[in-house]
Structure formats: structure tokens, C-alpha cells
Amino acid sequence: MVAMLEPELCEKGATIETVLDTPEGKRILTCIQCGMCAGTCPYGEYMDYPPRRIINMLRRGFIEEVFKSDSMLRCVACYACMSKCPRGIRLSDVLLPIVKEQTLINQPEIPAELQKTLQNTLRYGNPMGESSRKRVNWATANGTKVPIMAEIKRPVDVLWFVECYTAYYQRGQDNSRAVAKLFNALGIDFAILGNEEKCAGDCGQLTWESGLFETLTDYNMEIFKKYKFNRIVTGDAHAFNAFRIRYPMYGFNYPVEHTTGLFARCLPQLKPKLTKKLNYTVTYHDACCLGRRAGLYDEPRDLLLAIPGIKLVEMTHNRVNSICCGGGGGGMWLDTFFKQKGMERLSERRVKEAIATGADVIAVSCPYEIYRFEDALKVIPHDKPIIVRDVVELLAEALGD
Amino acid sequence: MYIPKKHEPVRIGFYICHCGVNIASMVDVKEVAKYVGTLPNVVVSRDYKYMCSDPGQEMIQQDIIENRLNRVVVAACSPMLHEQTFRKATEKAGINPFFFQMVNIREHDAWVHTDRLEATRKAMALARAAIQRVPLHKPLEVKKVAVHPNVLIVGGGIAGIHAALVLANAGKRVYLVERDPTIGGHMAKFDKTFPTLDCAMCVLSPKMAAVGSHPNITLWTYSEVAKVDGYVGNYKVVVRRKPRYVLEDLCTGCQECVEACVYKEPKFRDEFNLGLGKRKPIRLPFPQAIPPVTLIDPETCIELKSGKCKKTCLEACGDRKAIDFKQQEELREILVGTIIVATGYQIFDAKRTPYYGYGVYPNVYNALEVERLINASGPTNGELVMRNGQVPKKVAVIHCVGSRDENTNRWCSRVCCLYSLKLAHLIHERTNAEIVNFYIDMRTPGKGMEEFYNRLSEEGMMLVRGKVADVYPDPTDGTTGRLIVQAEDTLMSRILKIPVDMVVLSVGLEPHPDSDKIRRLFNMSCSSEGWFLERHPKLAPVSTFTDGIFLAGCCQGPKDIPDSVAQAGAAAAECFSLIDKGHIEQEPNTAFVVEKECSGCKSCIPLCPYTAISLLEDKKKAYINEALCKGCGTCVASCPSGSIVQNLFEDAEVFSEIEGLLAPVPV
């Protein structure tokens, strides 16, 4: 297995002028131009400047030419180049976000869909432009009762950071209700921030709207300080990524876990409760931020295999070699742009592989994937029905009543 | 000739070397000489351009005679280089060589500093430290230890084989110990060798046969070194001989037993063919195996597992009575003076680069498997037939698998570019398949290698510069197992997705997983990667840090056959040098126990890295074997009663040196 990337933090403040002087920049100088990054990039064939060329343009002093191209907007921050780079260059962590920021600055116009999303996130604290006062609605509707920090007024063990898609969108809420059910089944002492929560900003960071990201970070950090809790758990792979590798540079030092990791750790207590048999053949799609970036390959699979009746099959590309759903790095809001450029949606490429496995269910662990794959399945023909479910949804289903 | 008398006042001669500009450009040597001339006991203080030159040495000898010097200090390069030179020079002038002291102002000073004034101050301090220690020096004697003439060679690959033959042909007795049932190593698995494309077995098997029949070589295959004790010239080695259940002295190699085995067809994984073929429980690894003695695998033999076999093999062997189901492991003890370690390498496990699909897609092979597939004695009798029974029409050869990669092995394995080209050529020759080589950098150093690359390029081989990123089944393909190889052609800046029938992974070389165990056994050092460390990368490439133990072949680092053989010859020559001299000279900087102060607490015994210390049971005192002691000082520093003293490093000498080092200097 490819060595898991060390959970190294990102440093604040490296710019395109200074990056080669940092320890990460020294790694960039060791690039052997092997083309592994371009070859593994899911959109490599659509890039004028894949990472390999960016590095050489940077080393030779022609980087300005790269910024004039919109090539970098095709990066979906999937960590494939970084995790396979034979020189261990932290492309997706360090170099590519800087190049992306400069690309956005140098473009005559930003793709409208992306621009709208960034504006929404700044104004409303979520990319879809929903009212911040409705964030908690899922937790109070239909008889669900989820404790809210501001109301219970006591310290809790787990602060559950719900995030946007899992709070506002119907299918995301299914995920959140499942997590609440599992927390209760395991007797975990938890609460959410409710309407006080704002987007963690991981995708904003990766599209490198750095001002926006810092605004969100500052805001969330202040809210965290208001309450007492032992650790943060989130069901959103991107929020998990932001807390893990980027928030620490703003002083964040809470222990953080993704629900998949937490439930895998609780498997001895959880497994006896998984009594309902689910006769599904399941294929698991590795989320980039969990798999390649954090090495959580076995945890979601262990959870799935703990459910009675589930048979696990693998897609051609799995684990370190998994193909991104196309939603990262702002890709979630660039589908129109990608279409204009004649690029295949990665979610479509991915569901084709899932369909080929003959599975009944595509299991996921990142809230973007539910939408992306369900959308893709609408256009990719398949004879046998196939559905998309988050791992936690399947676990909650197997809990019975 | 002048001979210093006892109790005569100390008269020191000090010499500082310019070493051309190596020292003089960073250290003001004239100032240092002037300063040292003012120190007590110093009679002569000079600087000179090259102290190691003949005139430099003669100057010292002249001064010893004319100025009646009885101590000499030279400030120059590392004592690793010229300590012996100056010791000999002083000895020639009639002074005990241990009245000489060397000061390293090149590696420790001039080469590592950028401030000339500070470097000069440091040189003064270092020089004075020596000037203050040298009056306390005592005359010491170099001791001689006899060297046992027998040699142990560990590993029967091409390196071990060559070293064994060189030594044995010159009349030395050699023990060759090999872990596998046959000698030959990796080379015996190869089909042809680059760049000449001559058949590997054709050149190897005569040497293997020579080893097998040589009167001076004791060949122990299927055996491992279990224990090594002793020191240079006198190593006591225990070798574990695993039971092969066939007696070597009685087996004629007729293989009638194999024919007669109750398993009519070979059924079990054939290790020699990397699992590509099948074997029976009783077998000869390959036709030219040396020794030509069959062996029985206890894991699969019915008789050895359950005792309920018809034993048709025994019947077939008949009066030769070579089969012995009761054979036991044996321990043999031997005495040797020198050891050559030639334990080789293993290939990189391509499962560690999961994106190439090794172990997942049957048409993905590693290079060594392909060597067997195209080898006439291999599982397909030399026809390149894949696991699905087809002959490939298009083949991708992927270079640098597991090599030059922070995620796997960081080093370049040196032979892969050339063996990839060789395999590409051979596959094309056998199948007429179209071959695509994917490389990062084409590395073809060595005689005839670039010419070989040139020749294959002329043949029209397709060479793509780009590391393959992904290998996956062709989605448009039915059941033929066709694969897509995806890579960026970096010279064209274009992503290629090439459909192929077969993928060959040019896996790198890596140390054996148990190299650390072997390292400890022979008390050697390893590089961080696990390759055994040579004493000096340029000037002592086959020596180790343990005297009398030498390296040959790939256990020291990846290399090709000619280099392995050259190194084996060099290691053999190092053994000769010790054996023919008959003795070694022992540095007298060893430690000894002052018996009346030793309390017999034994705390020093486990600390000694050379197992030189033992307890004299009758006196209950520690005793240090001078021949084993390397003068590391560990016991001296650890002794709670301060009863261990080390020659040349006595407390008074060391403290005096420290005082000299710390005193203020004039500039």
C-alpha cells in the first residue's frame, strides 16, 4: 500500500514568490518531471498546465503564463497527484491552491456558478444561499430531537459539526438523521451548534478564496470558544479535512474525527446492535479527503462488512487509486464550466465503474457524493437499479428500531 | 641514531601542514606555528606545504635527531589518512610511534568553517590540546594476531560463487553457505544478460559446477549461519543445515525419485519459477542445480506430513538409499579467519504500488517472472505464453516500479533501465509483439550499455518518457484481459491511454527483509535503506567496519553482474591479503582492567559491543580479551569503580587534552 501521507498541517502565508523558499518548496525543486501527476489526474487530458508543467514553469520563471490559462480551474483537489508523487511534493496542499488563487485573480471572469456560491457562502454562511436561521430546521422537524449547545447550557463530550449539505438538503438531512440515531444508539453525549454554525469553508479554501476562508474560520473559531466539549465530530469529509489540516494554523487544536472513523472505532459496541439484515451488494467509493488525504480506507469498509447481509465489491479504481466524484476544489459548482469545455463529469465516469461491479448500492462517506452520483445515475444508462447511500445511512438502517 | 632516554625532559616537535590550500586558505598556519612555538615543552614548531610528502617526513626525522625530540605532533588532515604515515616516520627516527599525536585541522576545521580568524583560533586550541596530552603518552607495542587461513562465504549467488572460486583456485579452503537448496542466486533465473545478450546459464553453470566439484570448497546449501563469535583472523561460526530428507553424499541426481513420486503430476507452487509453474514435493529446483541433489518439502510430502505414504520415491531410489525421512537439522561449527558476506537482494513487491494492478490483473507480471517465462528451462519452456494461454501482441514495460519513489524505495536500482530494454528486445524477438517502454530517465552507464540502448532504439522500440500512473482493464474489452496503460508522455505533454495485452513491471532491487538480522550476526552497519555499509564509499568499498568481514554483490547496494563479480574478486583479494600475511597488527589502544580495583560487578560485560569482556570466575574480576577489544571506550566510561583503563586514552591524558582545548588562545 502506498504510504499514508503524514497529517502535516498547512502553513499560512506561502505565496508564489516565497513558496520555493519553504520546506515544501524544496521538495518542489526535487521534481523529476516524471508526469505521474498529470497521468493520474482525472482531468489531466484537459489541462494545458498539469502539475508537472506548472512546476517547471515555476522553476524556470515562466509561472505568469500559467496564470493566464484557465487550466487550473479543472483541478478538483482530489489529492491523486499528491499521494502518488514519487518525490512527495505536497501539490494539493501547498502549490496548487496558490496557483488556483492566482488563476482566479488573472481570469477575465470567474465562472458564474462558482462566483455565486462564493458570494452566498460569504453572505449566508452556506454555499446554497439558504437563510442561516433555517440551518437547524432539520433537527427539529418530524419529531427529531437533537440537543443544541445554546439550549442545553452544559459541556458535552462531542460537538457535532453538521455542515451545510447535511443541514439544508433533503438527502443530506437523511445523513444527519442517521448520525443522530447512531449517536443515540451508542449513548454518545453530543450536541450541535444549530443556527450558530457556518460553513467550515474547506472548498472555499481549496478554490483559494483565502479572504472568505479566513472569515469563516474566524467566525467558527469564536463559536467554538463559547462552549465546552471534548472533541469535534463531523459527517462532512470536507469539514473534517479543513479542521484537520487547515484550521490548526489559526490556533484550532481540538481533537477531530469523521463519523466514519468514530463509528469504526466504536464497532465493538455498535456491531451487536446491527441486527437488521440488509441484502445488498455494495461498492464503496473512497472520498478523497478521507481516503487519500487521511488514510481512512479500511474504516468505512469495516463498517459496511459489520452490517449483516452486505456483500462488498470493489470498483476498478479503489483506495489510493479511487476516482474523485468531481466535487472538490470548487468542482461542485463548476459543472457548467466543465460542460462548456467539453469535459466529462467525473461523477459519470465513477458511476460507470460502480455499475460495472453489479452492485445494488454505491456507499459513500462525503455529502457531495450523494448528489453527484444520484445526478450521474440519471444520465448513465443501467439495467439493474442502483442507489446511493452514505455509510452512516446503511448503518442506521441496519440498527432496526 | 638517537634513542630517547627514560626520565629525559619532554621535547616536542610541532608541524602544521598547509595541505596546499586546503588548510592554509582557512587557517593562518604561520600564526598557529608561531603560537605553538611559545607553549611549554615545544622545541621546534614549523609549517610546511605538504607534511605527508617525503621532504615533510624527512624534516620530522631530521629534527628528531638534531633537536633530540621525543614527542611529535602533526596538525594536518584526518588521522584516518596519514596517522600511519607519521607514526612510521617517527618510528624510523627511533621514537616509539605512540609518542606521535595527530591533530585534524582539515576535516574538523578548515573544511567546515567560513571565518578565517575563528578557524585559526580553533586550530590553535586543537594543537594545544595535543601538545598538553602528548607528554603523558607511554610507549606502546603493536601486537600481532594470527589469521586462520579458511574463509567463509555467505550467499551462493554469482558474487559468492566467484569469490569462492578465486580463493579456492589459489588453494584456500572455502566454506560456501547458501540459504536456498541450490547455488546460482538470481542470475540462475535470468534468461539472457545485458548488454551482450549472452545466455545467463551458459556462463553461470560452468562456474556453479566448478564450485560443486572443487576440492577446496565445502558447499553447504539449504543452510544458514546461526552464530558468529570471535574476531578478525579467528571467527568461530555455527552453521545450521536444514534437513532436505535426501542425503547429499548418496544422491546421484538421477531424479528417478521425482518421477516415482505418488503425485503423478506436479501440483505445488514452484518457488524457483516464482509460482508460474508447479512442482512435486520431491524435486530438483532446476536442471543445472548445484548440488544436483533433490530435496523434499515437508509441507507437501505425504510421508513427512502423515507418515502414510506409499513411499514410491524410496522404492525408486533403491540401493542408493539416499532418501532419509528421519534426517534432522544439523549444527556445524567451523573456524575461519575471514568472512565474505554476499547475501544479495530481493525484488520489490509490486503489490506496494497498487495502481499497477500486480496481483489483481493476471496479465501484469514482474520482470523476474518474465525472465522465467522466456527462459527455456522455465514453466513454459521459453514460450512467452501468459496466464490466459495467449501470446501477447502488445506489451508495456514500466520502468522504475518501486524505485526513486518517496512512498516506496528512494534509490535508483541501477539495473532496471537496462534489463527493461533487454526484456523488451527478447519479448519482441520471441513474439513479434509491439513493445512500449515507459521510462522516467534512461540510465545506461557502463561499458557497452549506451550502445545497447542505441541498438534497441534503432530496432524501432517505442520509448515513452513518462511514469505510468494507472493500469486498468480496458472497459471496451470482453474477456481477453486487455489493459489500458495510462501515462503522460512528458515530451509531448499529452496523456496516453495505450491498450496492451501484457504489462511488465520493472521492479527495483531492495535489501532482504531480514538484512537487519544478518547485520547483527556479523556486526556490520547498514545504510538507512538496509544495504550493508562499506567502510569507505570510495577507498574501502568491500570492507566493513568489522575487520576481516567483507562485502560482495548486491547486499551492499544494487549493481549489475559485472560489478558484482568485480566486487567479489576484490573481497577475495582482501581475504588473501590477510591470509597470506598470516597475522594482523592490533592497534594498542585497547582497554585493560586494573584487577585490584575491579569489584567484579559485571556491569561492563553486556555493554561491550565486541563481546571482549568476560569474568574470570576464579578471581571474580573482569577480563578484557585484547584481540577482541576495538578501543571504543564504552567499558571505560561505564565502570563504576574506574578500574578500566584504555591505552592512549588514560584519564590523565584525556583531562590534560581537554584543559588544553579550553584554555584561551592569543588571537
Side-chain angles (χ1 to χ4, degrees):
Chain A
M1 204 64 234
V2 165
M4 198 189 103
L5 296 156
E6 300 131 56
E8 283 168 321
L9 311 178
C10 294
E11 298 294 330
K12 217 159 47 168
T15 65
I16 200 71
E17 287 81 21
T18 62
V19 69
L20 288 182
D21 298 326
T22 65
E24 297 317 322
K26 301 275 179 261
R27 301 297 319 149
I28 293 172
L29 293 175
T30 68
C31 170
I32 48 173
Q33 294 284 299
C34 68
M36 174 58 105
C37 48
T40 197
C41 176
Y43 278 151
E45 57 208 301
Y46 301 103
M47 283 190 185
D48 294 335
Y49 294 102
R52 178 187 65 79
R53 290 198 74 203
I54 292 175
I55 286 177
N56 230 26
M57 296 296 268
L58 175 64
R59 294 194 297 200
R60 300 287 176 271
F62 296 109
I63 191 70
E64 295 296 327
E65 283 177 38
V66 176
F67 303 149
K68 295 201 178 77
S69 156
D70 63 7
S71 168
M72 193 60 216
L73 294 187
R74 291 152 178 78
C75 168
V76 288
C78 72
Y79 295 102
C81 53
M82 177 164 131
S83 52
K84 286 192 198 171
C85 173
R87 282 300 194 243
I89 300 170
R90 289 175 68 196
L91 292 160
S92 328
D93 272 356
V94 179
L95 180 64
L96 300 185
I98 300 177
V99 175
K100 204 164 207 177
E101 179 191 26
Q102 292 300 318
T103 302
L104 282 171
I105 291 169
N106 280 274
Q107 292 310 298
E109 56 181 328
I110 298 182
E113 207 181 339
L114 178 66
Q115 188 165 28
K116 181 83 184 139
T117 302
L118 297 176
Q119 281 168 354
N120 282 342
T121 312
L122 179 64
R123 190 170 299 168
Y124 304 102
N126 64 74
M128 42 289 257
E130 296 278 351
S131 161
S132 61
R133 273 171 294 174
K134 291 183 188 165
R135 198 172 182 101
V136 80
N137 286 7
W138 73 271
T140 50
N142 308 330
T144 323
K145 193 79 191 103
V146 176
I148 298 164
M149 286 306 291
E151 289 172 9
I152 60 170
K153 296 191 170 64
R154 65 172 178 84
V156 292
D157 179 26
V158 168
L159 175 71
W160 173 17
F161 196 89
V162 181
E163 262 294 16
C164 310
Y165 279 84
T166 26
Y168 286 110
Y169 276 8
Q170 185 59 39
R171 286 288 286 112
Q173 291 171 4
D174 292 343
N175 177 326
S176 295
R177 276 186 282 272
V179 172
K181 195 174 165 190
L182 288 158
F183 277 168
N184 286 326
L186 285 165
I188 288 170
D189 174 31
F190 74 98
I192 61 171
L193 292 170
N195 287 339
E196 286 185 285
E197 183 187 284
K198 276 189 183 178
C199 179
D202 188 51
C203 277
Q205 171 71 357
L206 287 175
T207 47
W208 209 261
E209 189 36 81
S210 52
L212 171 60
F213 181 72
E214 287 189 15
T215 308
L216 293 168
T217 316
D218 289 349
Y219 173 84
N220 282 321
M221 289 288 289
E222 280 310 307
I223 300 293
F224 293 151
K225 279 183 204 153
K226 275 173 68 179
Y227 301 110
K228 283 204 164 68
F229 52 88
N230 296 328
R231 55 208 166 114
I232 293 183
V233 173
T234 179
D236 184 310
H238 285 277
F240 172 67
N241 203 40
F243 292 148
R244 234 177 116 246
I245 65 171
R246 297 200 187 269
Y247 272 51
M249 63 187 165
Y250 302 97
F252 175 99
N253 59 0
Y254 303 101
V256 57
E257 248 182 319
H258 187 263
T259 43
T260 327
L262 170 75
F263 294 139
R265 211 161 41 73
C266 297
L267 206 49
Q269 298 97 288
L270 186 59
K271 195 164 180 181
K273 299 180 199 292
L274 301 172
T275 50
K276 194 170 150 197
K277 201 168 177 196
L278 305 183
N279 284 322
Y280 300 140
T281 300
V282 178
T283 187
Y284 175 70
H285 163 79
D286 285 281
C288 309
C289 299
L290 293 188
R292 274 188 289 261
R293 190 60 188 86
L296 296 173
Y297 294 118
D298 291 328
E299 287 79 353
R301 289 177 171 82
D302 291 345
L303 286 171
L304 290 169
L305 289 170
I307 300 172
I310 278 192
K311 192 177 151 235
L312 197 59
V313 290
E314 293 289 353
M315 286 182 262
T316 298
H317 290 90
N318 57 66
R319 293 175 177 252
V320 71
N321 219 22
S322 173
I323 297 174
C324 177
C325 73
M332 195 71 179
W333 309 288
L334 285 166
D335 279 335
T336 316
F337 171 77
F338 290 160
K339 198 172 177 190
Q340 283 164 357
K341 301 287 173 185
M343 292 156 67
E344 173 196 25
R345 279 200 299 180
L346 291 181
S347 48
E348 293 176 24
R349 197 188 293 177
R350 193 60 172 152
V351 299
K352 281 181 200 161
E353 281 199 358
I355 291 165
T357 64
D360 310 307
V361 180
I362 307 175
V364 299
S365 52
C366 164
Y368 289 7
E369 290 153 2
I370 295 271
Y371 295 95
R372 300 196 65 78
F373 292 154
E374 286 186 350
D375 266 5
L377 283 170
K378 288 172 194 158
V379 293
I380 301 298
H382 49 289
D383 303 331
K384 198 179 140 193
I386 184 164
I387 55 170
V388 189
R389 287 285 180 277
D390 197 290
V391 172
V392 291
E393 289 180 71
L394 293 170
L395 287 171
E397 193 183 339
L399 273 181
D401 298 311
Chain B
M1 186 182 281
Y2 166 78
I3 294 168
K5 296 180 194 88
K6 257 190 181 176
H7 310 302
E8 196 187 23
V10 170
R11 298 174 63 83
I12 306 174
F14 175 77
Y15 304 88
I16 183 165
C17 178
H18 298 215
C19 194
V21 293
N22 276 305
I23 294 170
S25 65
M26 191 46 65
V27 172
D28 188 339
V29 290
K30 296 225 180 285
E31 272 303 307
V32 178
K34 211 166 94 189
Y35 164 65
V36 174
T38 67
L39 295 176
N41 301 326
V42 177
V43 179
V44 177
S45 181
R46 303 184 200 276
D47 66 281
Y48 188 68
K49 198 159 185 187
Y50 292 107
M51 281 310 300
C52 60
S53 66
D54 272 1
Q57 295 180 47
E58 277 160 20
M59 182 165 74
I60 296 174
Q61 289 165 336
Q62 196 74 24
D63 281 348
I64 290 172
I65 293 159
E66 286 176 8
N67 295 300
R68 305 193 306 128
L69 301 180
N70 51 21
R71 301 288 190 281
V72 173
V73 174
V74 175
C77 54
S78 163
M80 289 280 284
L81 297 168
H82 278 304
E83 191 173 51
Q84 291 306 331
T85 312
F86 295 118
R87 275 188 185 166
K88 278 195 188 114
T90 38
E91 195 175 15
K92 265 192 194 162
I95 301 184
N96 183 290
F98 297 92
F99 282 148
F100 160 77
Q101 177 72 14
M102 186 139 189
V103 182
N104 183 353
I105 56 161
R106 196 177 73 172
E107 286 83 346
H108 285 182
D109 189 3
W111 277 359
V112 289
H113 293 295
T114 49
D115 182 327
R116 190 170 153 89
L117 180 66
E118 286 302 321
T120 303
R121 286 161 55 87
K122 184 171 173 181
M124 287 175 173
L126 289 167
R128 194 185 41 216
I131 298 293
Q132 288 201 199
R133 109 190 292 276
V134 80
L136 300 165
H137 279 205
K138 289 172 184 157
L140 298 170
E141 245 178 79
V142 173
K143 292 207 170 72
K144 287 180 180 176
V145 181
V147 173
H148 194 285
N150 292 0
V151 184
L152 167 69
I153 297 176
V154 189
I158 182 59
I161 288 173
H162 183 75
L165 288 174
V166 170
L167 287 159
N169 286 342
K172 309 297 174 207
R173 167 136 296 277
V174 174
Y175 296 94
L176 180 57
V177 175
E178 165 58 47
R179 174 148 67 178
D180 282 344
T182 170
I183 55 168
H186 279 97
M187 191 177 170
K189 294 189 166 101
F190 299 161
D191 183 48
K192 288 183 175 170
T193 55
F194 62 78
T196 47
L197 294 180
D198 49 352
C199 153
M201 265 325 262
C202 305
V203 291
L204 178 64
S205 60
K207 296 189 77 136
M208 287 170 62
V211 166
S213 61
H214 207 293
N216 289 338
I217 297 177
T218 304
L219 175 59
W220 285 339
T221 55
Y222 214 43
S223 303
E224 285 178 23
V225 174
K227 201 166 168 233
V228 181
D229 278 327
Y231 49 92
V232 53
N234 296 279
Y235 286 109
K236 213 194 296 172
V237 181
V238 178
V239 178
R240 182 185 299 119
R241 305 211 60 202
K242 291 177 277 185
R244 58 199 297 154
Y245 306 104
V246 176
L247 302 174
E248 278 181 45
D249 299 342
L250 303 177
C251 176
T252 60
C254 68
Q255 299 185 60
E256 282 172 31
C257 52
V258 181
E259 197 58 39
C261 178
V262 289
Y263 285 103
K264 289 287 162 254
E265 291 302 319
K267 201 182 156 194
F268 304 101
R269 186 180 189 277
D270 176 2
E271 295 86 355
F272 186 78
N273 283 318
L274 308 150
L276 294 168
K278 300 272 186 244
R279 61 154 172 84
K280 295 181 179 182
I282 189 162
R283 84 282 186 188
L284 192 66
F286 59 97
Q288 303 96 324
I290 296 289
V293 175
T294 55
L295 78 159
I296 304 176
D297 170 20
E299 300 295 315
T300 51
C301 168
I302 297 172
E303 176 63 20
L304 286 169
K305 275 198 319 190
S306 65
K308 288 177 191 156
C309 184
K310 283 190 283 180
K311 291 180 270 192
T312 43
C313 55
L314 205 67
E315 234 169 78
C317 192
D319 289 343
R320 283 164 287 202
K321 293 195 170 73
I323 295 175
D324 176 10
F325 290 109
K326 299 217 160 42
Q327 196 182 24
Q328 296 289 317
E329 179 181 288
E330 264 182 81
L331 292 177
R332 296 284 191 89
E333 196 177 290
I334 52 172
L335 198 63
V336 295
T338 47
I339 298 173
I340 296 175
V341 176
T343 49
Y345 65 95
Q346 69 171 18
I347 56 167
F348 171 79
D349 177 7
K351 285 186 183 142
R352 288 171 63 201
T353 48
Y355 34 88
Y356 294 148
Y358 180 78
V360 179
Y361 308 124
N363 294 355
V364 179
Y365 292 84
N366 72 38
L368 197 56
E369 289 169 336
V370 177
E371 296 278 0
R372 293 315 298 155
L373 284 181
I374 56 176
N375 191 302
S377 71
T380 54
N381 298 321
E383 271 185 66
L384 184 58
V385 180
M386 297 187 297
R387 290 185 177 97
N388 63 6
Q390 290 176 348
V391 176
K393 293 189 192 71
K394 190 156 182 176
V395 180
V397 180
I398 304 180
H399 293 218
C400 294
V401 175
S403 302
R404 306 180 70 194
D405 193 330
E406 294 286 328
N407 301 301
T408 49
N409 293 333
R410 298 171 78 172
W411 57 89
C412 165
S413 291
R414 227 184 98 176
V415 292
C416 321
C417 279
L418 286 150
Y419 84 55
S420 301
L421 291 173
K422 173 197 79 178
L423 286 176
H425 170 85
L426 294 175
I427 296 169
H428 176 72
E429 192 179 73
R430 307 284 162 89
T431 61
N432 208 27
E434 192 187 338
I435 321 280
V436 193
N437 269 270
F438 292 90
Y439 67 98
I440 306 175
D441 295 302
M442 191 63 80
R443 295 184 167 176
T444 61
K447 206 170 169 182
M449 305 299 186
E450 185 67 14
E451 292 84 340
F452 180 62
Y453 171 32
N454 195 33
R455 170 183 158 193
L456 299 202
S457 303
E458 272 181 6
E459 283 175 10
M461 185 174 300
M462 188 166 156
L463 296 156
V464 176
R465 191 198 176 280
K467 188 170 167 79
V468 171
D470 200 1
V471 173
Y472 52 94
D474 184 346
T476 65
D477 171 54
T479 52
T480 65
R482 193 163 62 218
L483 298 161
I484 302 285
V485 173
Q486 184 173 319
E488 188 198 15
D489 183 328
T490 59
L491 301 180
M492 213 164 51
S493 288
R494 190 169 296 176
I495 307 297
L496 303 179
K497 295 177 184 176
I498 299 181
V500 298
D501 303 309
M502 181 185 194
V503 171
V504 180
L505 303 180
S506 296
V507 287
L509 277 49
E510 63 183 21
H512 281 295
D514 61 351
S515 64
D516 197 58
K517 205 181 103 197
I518 302 169
R519 177 186 77 79
R520 283 168 202 280
L521 201 56
F522 295 98
N523 199 7
M524 300 184 292
S525 302
C526 271
S527 65
S528 57
E529 298 94 359
W531 303 111
F532 298 142
L533 202 61
E534 63 284 352
R535 181 174 276 187
H536 189 284
K538 294 178 187 68
L539 302 177
V542 299
S543 303
T544 66
F545 288 95
T546 305
D547 293 333
I549 297 186
F550 303 100
L551 298 170
C554 287
C555 63
Q556 181 257 345
K559 52 181 68 67
D560 60 7
I561 294 167
D563 283 8
S564 293
V565 171
Q567 221 184 17
E574 296 282 356
C575 293
F576 276 130
S577 160
L578 286 172
I579 298 167
D580 286 3
K581 191 174 177 190
H583 66 268
I584 50 139
E585 278 156 11
Q586 186 103 26
E587 267 291 291
N589 63 347
T590 48
F592 59 91
V593 177
V594 181
E595 274 193 11
K596 69 176 187 337
E597 281 163 32
C598 174
S599 67
C601 76
K602 296 187 276 190
S603 62
C604 53
I605 295 173
L607 292 174
C608 176
Y610 307 99
T611 55
I613 313 180
S614 55
L615 189 77
L616 297 174
E617 287 298 340
D618 49 341
K619 298 185 192 164
K620 296 278 175 256
K621 305 281 182 192
Y623 165 75
I624 298 173
N625 181 342
E626 251 186 349
L628 285 175
C629 176
K630 291 272 173 292
C632 72
T634 309
C635 58
V636 182
S638 73
C639 177
S641 61
S643 63
I644 307 183
V645 177
Q646 187 179 349
N647 288 329
L648 274 181
F649 293 92
E650 292 185 24
D651 285 359
E653 292 168 350
V654 174
F655 284 123
S656 192
E657 187 172 17
I658 294 171
E659 278 165 22
L661 198 63
L662 298 179
V665 288
V667 290

